[in-house]
Amino acid sequence: MTDLHSIAFMLNGKSVTADVDARLHLADFLRHTLHLTGTHIGCEHGVCGACNVLVDGRSTRSCLMLAVQVDGAHVETIEGLTASGQIADLQAAFTARNALQCGYCTPGVLATAAELLTGNKPTRDEIRDALSGNYCRCTGYHAIVDAIETVAGKRHGGAP
Amino acid sequence: MTANLKTGASLPRRTAARLVAGKGRYTDDIQVAGLLHVAFVRSSYPHARLKRIETRAAADMPGVVAVLTGNDLAKVCAPWQTQLALLPSHLSPPQMPMAQGEACWQGEAIVAVVATSRALAEDATESVEIEWEELPVVADVQAAALADAPVVHSAMTSNLGLDHTVSTGDAEAAFRQAAVTVEHTFSFDRQTGVTLEPRTILAEFDPRLQQLTIHHSHQVPHQMRDIFAAQLKLPLSNVRVVAPDVGGAFGLKLAAYPDEMAVATIAVLLERPVKFCADRLEAFVSDNHAREAKVHGRMAVDADGRLTAMDVSVVSGFGAYSAYPRGSVGEALQAVHMVAAPYKMAHLRGRVRGYFQNKPPSGVLRAVGQPIATTVTEQLLDLAARRLSLDPAELRRRNYVDTATATARSAGGIVLAELSLERCHDRLLQLMDYATLRQQQRMHRDKGIYRGIGLAAFIEQTAVGPTLYGAQNVRASAQETCRLTLEADGAIRCATSITDQGQGTSTALAQIVADALGVDIETVEIATGDTQLTPFGGGAWASRGTALGGEAALRAARKLKESVLGIAGALLQTEPDLLKIEDGRIYNTASPLPQMSLADIATTAYFKAHLVALTELPALEITESFAPRDLPYVAANGIQAAHVEVDVELGTIRVLDFWVVDDCGRVINPLLVDEQIRGGVVQGIGAALYEQCIYGADGQLENGSLVDYLVPMASEMPDIHVAHVQTPTSATTLGARGVGEAGTVGAAAAIWTAVNDALTPFGVVLSEQPFTPERVLDALAARKD
């Protein structure tokens, strides 16, 4: 059942080459081949958003994308987003606001939030809409919306 | 110490900073050399005889190490059977890790394929051949109750697994004398927990030491250690269970699941490390389900709006087997015993029956049965208010139980000690501006906008003690223990039996310990979730972490402080009473200068004990346990309100706003408590509006994917306003009550009363949860006809 393909792509700012099985999805590749376990798998049918990563800057279900499809792309996972410091304010706000409990959905939520806040200052309703592709079973979402709203306000100056 | 008390402060969780960086360590994240992966062949039939299983072709597939059947595992693993001492009729046949001879629900594990990768294991499952003989199916709970119903398992003589009555006062007479009686039927669809991290287990067996180490996404590692040891016939001390980060649990991860027992068994059998991680599709058919119940309720009220009696009949669905080891009766028993718990009511008649069915076993889901009882009570109260032309809030205000006494019991026998229902009620009406909302409701109705306001008062059973399971002879510990150690560097190590799946109980314990000892909270390290590192105890169930684990920690901290000051007194040649600890330093009350540090005490006691002029060196490692033994549990209370709008053309329901006033006693950390409440509320809203396991009469799950099983999404949920009344419990020195289930206990009921309030102009009262658009439109259409 193996059908290997060579891929080369940018992962968290560094180039990666690998031979991957055609059927291997990106989430499994990140988690089990590259040991980047911050990307989580919740449903493997593209609903829950726990596996969201950024592919060429867009939040993407890594369970619905095959590893071969990232050939030539820029992929950012929670590990890279953390190391670069680009979502440090979001991470600090999530911690301060207790916008996570079990933390399983959080890396995916942060990928969505990172994309949402790129150049935008969304309203509370827009934040809720954007988060509709990220299931959270613990928080009830209120604290997550608060945390993102706070960061949106700070990034665009002034109070949220 | 008074200047910077941590208890009561909204401190963020230390773990959160790690989790937001993607540095969680969930069971599937753990790397083990030589790891094998398990994939199961599951029954596609709800009930079938296994006539022949052919595994040879699968065994020859690439990467496959073993293909195992129930018979193979039976060589190592003993069968188990839930037995409840006080409810002997709640009995299903002995159970094995995988079905032997007969499969009793769609999704029951039949064959395990063990391979070098999950993908290869799954490939090989397709080559397993099973010859089935379909057997009659009992899916619907009312069908299971019929006299001539087929049995769920051929070893059973009847599907009836519980027939229990409660009778207080004379309900019959009360109904005869009532000024108003109301009644309604209620249907609660099956739900499941949908933890975002599916069930996962990693088992390693070292044949040299005969030691089994399990990493397990679970709430109660000490319970599971006891079970793994018993079933695999290993000494308890040879089994270690570790619950690392857990991605959601909600009661679902309290049970001993057969497929997880299979994984532990395979590790012992093959002497190789093995892992199983349920995928979402198999989670839907193998995780425990909950809530399935049909209820008929009646309520009697006098002319002044005083509630006098209720008569409740509950039929509950258990699934194919009683969940191990806690059984499947909790939902049904709570559904009847908890009715009208917040209200003065002298007469109650209740009957509850539960039936086995060819569906996944039902088990614990956050708030167990309490949402059903609350919904039935609150909806009937609203119907009574309408008949009396009384405002629903006013009707409730007249009926709250007098809770000043510590010995009060509800008609259903529920403990009502030291509650605050009236204060919570008044605070809620003020918080939501109830009067204005009612005014606006009338104005909106005139414009064809149908909004509803729903209230739900509730009692929450928290910090449950040993009488619940102990009396049933079930080995689920209700005691929580803290082992507090002064480390050699002066830091404090707090090893606790409770577990934390994100509730933040670890942080709450650190706050309690820091304050009681007088140390910087950063020096308090919490150890949890590992049977080898933590003292024996319950874990996370029945909202106990801070209330009971916190109490044990507080008691240990006070004793450790005594030890520290005893040693300090000897070294400083001062009476310990004249010493105090602040910021980890010892002060003489007469001087503002610190005399020595906790590190000095530790260094002296551990390396230079000859300098301590005491005959006995006080212990610097203290273990304290706590379980409520005078009361069965510590009751908490509160009230919730929902504001909804129903689109009567589309049948859709929008939740506009939601409020909760909760009394969980002394609040240790408001930031944690508020989010417990909000998360619980949203699970209750999900139950009322979205969540349902849809089964056909043939016992097939028709919506077993996250595409088809709806859970609340961010865009549908409202902001949730939370306020507190604090009535510390006298059952503990800490004074905290539990809060983990409060939101879920009342939220569905508030949605029921709100939606049906919105539909009042149509004379429609919905009766089936969840309120799908189809059901709303059907009810409106039926009324028009």
Side-chain angles (χ1 to χ4, degrees):
Chain A
M1 291 294 288
T2 51
D3 179 11
L4 293 179
H5 296 260
S6 295
I7 57 169
F9 68 107
M10 294 297 287
L11 175 62
N12 297 328
K14 290 179 184 159
S15 67
V16 171
T17 56
D19 292 331
V20 296
D21 207 337
R23 67 175 179 174
L24 183 69
H25 65 56
L26 178 59
D28 274 348
F29 176 57
L30 292 170
R31 287 181 51 75
H32 298 305
T33 309
L34 302 178
H35 305 307
L36 296 174
T37 54
T39 298
H40 298 145
I41 292 177
C43 69
E44 288 182 288
H45 37 260
V47 181
C48 77
C51 68
N52 273 15
V53 296
L54 295 181
V55 177
D56 294 332
R58 301 293 310 274
S59 66
T60 303
R61 310 293 207 216
S62 62
C63 75
L64 288 189
M65 191 167 192
L66 295 169
V68 292
Q69 292 176 286
V70 299
D71 188 35
H74 285 257
V75 176
E76 287 169 286
T77 67
I78 186 66
E79 290 86 355
L81 292 169
T82 302
S84 71
Q86 60 186 299
I87 59 165
D89 52 355
L90 273 168
Q91 290 167 315
F94 270 57
T95 302
R97 181 60 190 84
N98 199 25
L100 65 148
Q101 287 177 33
C102 79
Y104 200 77
C105 73
T106 311
V109 169
L110 287 169
T112 300
E115 181 190 29
L116 175 67
L117 294 189
T118 305
N120 300 314
K121 187 185 177 187
T123 65
R124 216 171 158 79
D125 280 347
E126 286 165 350
I127 294 169
R128 284 191 177 274
D129 274 345
L131 286 174
S132 284
N134 291 86
Y135 287 4
C136 169
R137 289 294 270 174
C138 297
T139 64
Y141 302 108
H142 182 136
I144 297 176
V145 178
D146 282 353
I148 295 173
E149 189 182 37
T150 300
V151 173
K154 281 185 181 161
R155 284 196 191 176
H156 291 83
Chain B
M1 185 168 151
T2 46
N4 58 349
L5 271 188
K6 299 300 180 195
T7 308
S10 280
L11 294 193
R13 289 153 50 218
R14 244 178 283 172
T15 322
R18 180 169 62 81
L19 297 177
V20 297
K23 290 176 181 155
R25 186 171 170 272
Y26 303 88
T27 300
D28 190 46
D29 301 340
I30 295 167
Q31 304 287 333
V32 174
L35 182 65
L36 301 177
H37 302 260
V38 180
F40 290 100
V41 179
R42 295 178 181 276
S43 178
S44 354
Y45 299 98
H47 196 191
R49 200 175 310 288
L50 304 169
K51 295 191 71 176
R52 192 177 60 87
I53 301 177
E54 181 50 64
T55 61
R56 262 171 297 179
D60 289 340
M61 293 282 286
V64 172
V65 173
V67 183
L68 301 163
T69 65
N71 291 343
D72 296 323
L73 302 194
K75 292 169 198 159
V76 178
C77 183
W80 63 89
Q81 189 174 32
T82 304
Q83 291 186 306
L84 306 178
L86 303 178
L87 297 164
S89 69
H90 184 64
L91 199 65
S92 51
Q95 214 177 346
M96 288 296 292
M98 296 191 293
Q100 286 179 286
E102 186 174 345
C104 293
W105 84 82
Q106 176 220 356
E108 187 172 6
I110 310 291
V111 174
V113 176
V114 188
T116 51
S117 80
R118 171 72 188 232
L120 293 174
E122 284 185 20
D123 289 344
T125 59
E126 291 169 22
S127 299
V128 173
E129 286 175 42
I130 300 175
E131 194 182 322
W132 310 85
E133 178 191 337
E134 286 191 66
L135 295 170
V137 174
V138 185
D140 183 77
V141 70
Q142 279 154 334
L146 297 173
D148 59 348
V151 284
V152 166
H153 188 294
S154 55
M156 293 166 63
T157 53
S158 156
N159 298 320
L160 183 66
L162 177 71
D163 190 351
H164 171 83
T165 57
V166 52
S167 179
T168 303
D170 186 347
E172 200 67 42
F175 274 97
R176 276 197 308 271
Q177 292 155 14
V180 164
T181 63
V182 289
E183 64 183 305
H184 196 57
T185 57
F186 302 80
S187 171
F188 301 87
D189 277 356
R190 237 175 206 254
Q191 290 176 241
T192 184
V194 193
T195 59
L196 211 51
E197 180 209 20
R199 293 185 296 107
T200 307
I201 181 169
L202 164 63
E204 299 167 76
F205 183 68
D206 186 329
R208 296 162 299 189
L209 304 174
Q210 291 286 300
Q211 275 189 349
L212 179 66
T213 302
I214 306 250
H215 284 80
H216 201 182
S217 179
H218 213 273
Q219 295 167 245
V220 285
H222 285 284
Q223 171 197 292
M224 292 314 300
R225 177 182 182 233
D226 191 58
I227 291 172
F228 289 126
Q231 298 315 125
L232 298 170
K233 303 175 203 84
L234 292 166
L236 201 51
S237 56
N238 287 27
V239 180
R240 176 185 184 187
V241 179
V242 184
D245 289 325
V246 172
F250 317 124
L252 189 153
K253 292 173 181 173
L254 272 178
Y257 285 89
D259 51 13
E260 295 175 4
M261 282 301 308
V263 174
T265 306
I266 291 166
V268 173
L269 203 62
L270 301 184
E271 301 182 348
R272 301 275 302 271
V274 288
K275 182 170 73 179
F276 165 68
C277 180
D279 72 22
R280 185 55 59 192
L281 300 179
E282 57 188 340
F284 274 109
V285 294
S286 62
D287 291 354
N288 281 351
H289 292 176
R291 298 287 192 269
E292 182 176 1
K294 312 272 184 198
V295 182
H296 185 77
R298 297 164 66 217
M299 180 179 277
V301 182
D302 74 14
D304 295 330
R306 312 279 174 199
L307 174 54
T308 58
M310 279 184 75
D311 180 6
V312 181
S313 172
V314 178
V315 178
S316 176
F318 290 153
Y321 289 91
S322 174
Y324 192 71
R326 293 167 192 245
S328 298
V329 296
E331 194 98 69
L333 293 174
Q334 298 272 55
V336 66
H337 280 278
M338 291 291 286
V339 294
Y343 302 106
K344 275 177 273 192
M345 183 185 83
H347 310 284
L348 171 65
R349 186 171 64 187
R351 183 173 184 196
V352 51
R353 279 158 293 173
Y355 295 91
F356 292 102
Q357 319 149 277
N358 294 112
K359 289 180 180 174
S362 70
V364 173
L365 178 63
R366 197 176 195 170
V368 193
Q370 299 175 92
I372 296 175
T374 306
T375 297
V376 170
T377 305
E378 297 297 316
Q379 186 59 64
L380 289 174
L381 276 171
D382 268 21
L383 297 182
R386 279 185 218 173
R387 289 277 303 280
L388 289 161
S389 299
L390 259 180
D391 181 89
E394 173 56 25
L395 179 67
R396 284 169 177 79
R397 193 69 173 76
R398 290 182 191 182
N399 282 288
Y400 290 124
V401 69
D402 169 9
T403 53
T405 58
T407 53
R409 296 288 186 276
S410 77
I414 301 306
V415 170
L416 300 169
E418 305 166 305
L419 302 181
S420 57
L421 289 156
E422 290 176 356
R423 276 183 294 152
C424 288
H425 176 104
D426 295 345
R427 180 88 180 82
L428 180 89
L429 296 199
Q430 181 193 26
L431 188 69
M432 66 191 287
D433 196 357
Y434 181 80
T436 304
L437 277 184
R438 281 285 177 213
Q439 264 176 3
Q440 290 172 348
Q441 181 185 34
R442 283 188 288 273
M443 284 158 50
H444 280 112
R445 265 183 200 166
D446 295 341
K447 294 182 215 152
I449 295 169
Y450 297 96
R451 291 190 172 179
I453 302 157
L455 301 174
F458 67 93
I459 303 288
E460 178 199 8
Q461 292 185 20
T462 79
V464 171
T467 52
L468 178 64
Y469 291 118
Q472 299 282 11
N473 255 343
V474 168
R475 292 166 69 89
S477 178
Q479 169 181 288
E480 299 304 343
T481 301
C482 173
R483 185 172 63 235
L484 214 52
T485 310
L486 176 62
E487 299 267 35
D489 62 359
I492 305 296
R493 185 168 180 80
C494 171
T496 175
S497 62
I498 61 158
T499 59
D500 185 348
Q501 295 80 36
Q503 301 91 325
T505 37
S506 296
T507 301
L509 258 60
Q511 291 175 267
I512 292 164
V513 167
D515 281 352
L517 271 174
V519 300
D520 181 351
I521 192 167
E522 295 305 319
T523 67
V524 181
E525 193 59 46
I526 305 287
T528 175
D530 181 340
T531 60
Q532 198 136 306
L533 300 180
T534 65
F536 186 81
W541 60 273
S543 301
R544 65 200 307 98
T546 303
L548 301 183
E551 175 71 5
L554 177 61
R555 291 177 180 216
R558 287 180 175 172
K559 284 204 172 170
L560 183 58
K561 183 179 183 182
E562 228 173 86
S563 291
V564 168
L565 292 182
I567 294 169
L571 293 173
L572 297 168
Q573 298 180 333
T574 311
E575 282 300 311
D577 290 355
L578 300 175
L579 300 174
K580 60 179 181 176
I581 313 175
E582 274 180 25
D583 275 337
R585 295 187 188 85
I586 317 280
Y587 289 84
N588 189 315
T589 46
S591 160
L593 295 173
Q595 308 291 309
M596 58 198 316
S597 67
L598 281 191
D600 296 332
I601 297 285
T603 302
T604 310
Y606 294 147
F607 306 112
K608 299 182 263 185
H610 61 284
L611 298 179
V612 185
L614 293 170
T615 42
E616 292 284 334
L617 197 64
L620 293 174
E621 178 161 285
I622 305 286
T623 304
E624 279 287 307
S625 296
F626 184 77
R629 290 188 294 164
D630 300 331
L631 288 172
Y633 45 82
V634 178
N637 75 142
I639 181 165
Q640 309 190 11
H643 189 211
V644 304
E645 183 174 312
V646 182
D647 184 322
V648 295
E649 302 300 324
L650 296 175
T652 52
I653 295 164
R654 199 150 61 93
V655 185
L656 304 170
D657 232 331
F658 206 101
W659 302 266
V660 181
V661 178
D662 183 72
D663 187 346
C664 60
R666 185 178 179 202
V667 175
I668 307 301
N669 183 330
L671 186 66
L672 304 179
V673 165
D674 288 359
E675 297 321 313
Q676 280 305 296
I677 291 172
R678 292 196 173 99
V681 163
V682 164
Q683 291 191 346
I685 295 174
L689 298 183
Y690 312 114
E691 298 192 36
Q692 53 177 163
C693 299
I694 304 171
Y695 273 90
D698 58 358
Q700 291 282 344
L701 181 61
E702 295 174 356
N703 65 333
S705 85
L706 213 43
V707 180
D708 300 309
Y709 182 101
L710 305 182
V711 302
M713 298 191 296
S715 55
E716 301 163 323
M717 289 301 104
D719 282 348
I720 296 162
H721 314 279
V722 179
H724 300 278
V725 168
Q726 294 194 46
T727 312
T729 174
S730 62
T732 63
T733 45
L734 181 65
R737 301 162 196 257
V739 71
E741 296 162 283
T744 310
V745 172
I751 297 292
W752 272 73
T753 52
V755 171
N756 283 324
D757 182 52
L759 295 176
T760 309
F762 301 92
V764 163
V765 184
L766 300 180
S767 58
E768 287 176 86
Q769 172 181 300
F771 297 156
T772 60
E774 188 182 11
R775 285 173 172 172
V776 173
L777 293 179
D778 281 352
L780 287 167
R783 198 62 197 180
K784 283 171 194 158
D785 291 343

